[in-house]
Amino acid sequence: MPISLPLKEMTLEEKLQAMESIWDDLCAHAERMPSPDWHGEVLAGREAAIERGEERFEDWDTARRKIDQDLQ
């Protein structure tokens, strides 16, 4: 079913609200969207790197600070 939105007439805020509505709906039905095989492969690789001591977990606040610093 084709969907047409008046994107040229929508404000940035309206576009973001539309995106948030779509994202919220997708999240509410996440069980219907299987992850691709490569997701499992990436996760397995990361778990193996953690077990080998090559990687480590960080809490979200620390990770967010590092991301913010990298963007500056």
Side-chain angles (χ1 to χ4, degrees):
M1 154 181 34
I3 295 175
S4 178
L5 294 174
L7 295 174
K8 293 189 187 304
E9 290 83 35
M10 293 171 70
T11 66
L12 178 60
E13 184 177 335
E14 290 169 333
K15 291 175 184 179
L16 289 171
Q17 287 174 347
M19 289 174 54
E20 286 179 19
S21 294
I22 292 168
W23 188 254
D24 288 344
D25 184 70
L26 288 171
C27 290
H29 303 91
E31 72 282 351
R32 290 194 253 160
M33 294 179 282
S35 293
D37 291 339
W38 67 268
H39 281 190
E41 295 166 10
V42 168
L43 290 174
R46 290 180 179 171
E47 286 176 351
I50 288 170
E51 288 176 13
R52 291 189 304 266
E54 297 170 359
E55 296 289 339
R56 62 184 176 84
F57 288 103
E58 289 184 336
D59 64 87
W60 176 241
D61 290 332
T62 302
R64 182 62 187 205
R65 270 194 305 278
K66 287 182 178 182
I67 292 168
D68 288 342
Q69 288 172 354
D70 288 347
L71 294 175
Q72 293 177 0

